[in-house]
Amino acid sequence: PQRRPQSSKQRFVQELSQCLCDFVAQLLPTPEELAVKEDVRKLLERLIRSIEPESRLLSFGSTANGFSLRNSDMDLCCIIDSEERLSASDLVTMVGDLLARETRFVIKPLPLARIPIVKLSLPPSPGLPFGIACDIGFENRLALENTRLLFCYAMIDPARVRTMVLFLKVWCKRRKINSPYKGSLSSYGYVLLVIYFLVHVKNPPVLPNLQQLPPLRPITQEETHLNGYNIWFFDDINLLRERWKSKNTETVAELLIDFFKYYSRDFAYNTGVVSIRSGFILKEIKLPFFSLTCEKDPFETNFNVARCVTRDGLYTIRGEFMRASRILATRPERAIVALAQLCE
Ligand code: CTP
Ligand code: MG
């Protein structure tokens, strides 16, 4: 039988998927960059152990969650395994002094911040053309766990999930809507929007809900809870990759087009809360008009990941979702042109 000719839409979507994969592939960190970062982590860990011998310095955030772009910041968390330990703000001051003495990093300790951290940076040099920026926090075990959760989501269907997330991270940075300090959303917030969309909006879903799958064996309250929060999720990735076959066969381009459409038009910003554990939840209390967005942390469910988003910030973000949706709906002759316009 004769094959039906491809429609212009099919052709566009197919080409866009290829362009997205190629675009993202160029932006992945190089093996050299990853090696330098690992060396930096080891060096810092060794130095911090001269203050706290029982400590470990662990990566979280994009360096560890599978959604890292070239030259992204390093998020490090210091875990101290002994019972007696200094307060986070004392540690920040002491570690800050030590690193200022012993390393070439520019050090900025923030002992009084809501989450005390030491900020380190190395300015660009010929060997490290983008320098290094790194934050060290203390005892933030929930961040380590939510990093592991995102990593598992990234690994279930990397071709679609990682491509989509990495593209959105580039897009939101280029469109300047990725600064919680200026009223927009953190990268973590955007990643949760993508996972929510793939778990709860798409039907059939692209991803399972890892926090709601039945465990393989009975688990106790101690195993599942940390600081009063339920941090359990299904983390046997090998088993999942074997068993989870999504019935959703959409391409990454189709998913991206639909993602922008959903968040520009369909998501009920006035009444809804994004929760990757529970799906769409109604806001229990009607929030004042200016605090429209609400996004639940997967573990710390009383914590609003989007709390920094202002009314103007949300207006701008939604405007950007609409702009992206419009560009993709016009289907320029070449998909690469659409990508360039999106990230202008
Ligand atoms: N995090 C969190 N709660 C937030 C923001 C961040 O727990 N409200 C933690 C998460 O573990 C997240 C990490 O901090 O993975 C880093 O957040 P962020 O820098 O926003 O995301 P990255 O994936 O590191 O993105 P980027 O590459 O832009 O730094
Ligand atoms: Mg980061």
Side-chain angles (χ1 to χ4, degrees), residues 60-63 65 72-75 135 169 173 187:
F60 70 104
S62 58
T63 0
N65 66 18
S72 58
D73 298 357
M74 286 173 82
D75 300 297
D135 291 348
K169 282 179 71 172
K173 287 180 207 292
S187 298

Side-chain angles (χ1 to χ4, degrees), residues 156-221:
I156 296 173
D157 186 346
R160 291 191 290 179
V161 181
R162 281 183 74 205
T163 308
M164 225 177 137
V165 166
L166 291 174
F167 176 75
L168 276 161
K169 282 179 71 172
V170 179
W171 171 80
C172 69
K173 287 180 207 292
R174 297 251 178 106
R175 299 304 300 167
K176 301 197 164 35
I177 46 168
N178 181 212
S179 323
Y181 305 105
K182 294 185 197 148
S184 56
L185 203 53
S186 63
S187 298
Y188 181 58
Y190 285 101
V191 180
L192 295 181
L193 290 186
V194 178
I195 293 175
Y196 173 83
F197 175 77
L198 298 176
V199 173
H200 298 282
V201 178
K202 281 279 95 184
N203 189 10
V206 173
L207 290 172
N209 185 340
L210 294 181
Q211 293 174 280
Q212 304 280 13
L213 286 177
L216 293 171
R217 57 177 178 85
I219 33 178
T220 62
Q221 181 86 359

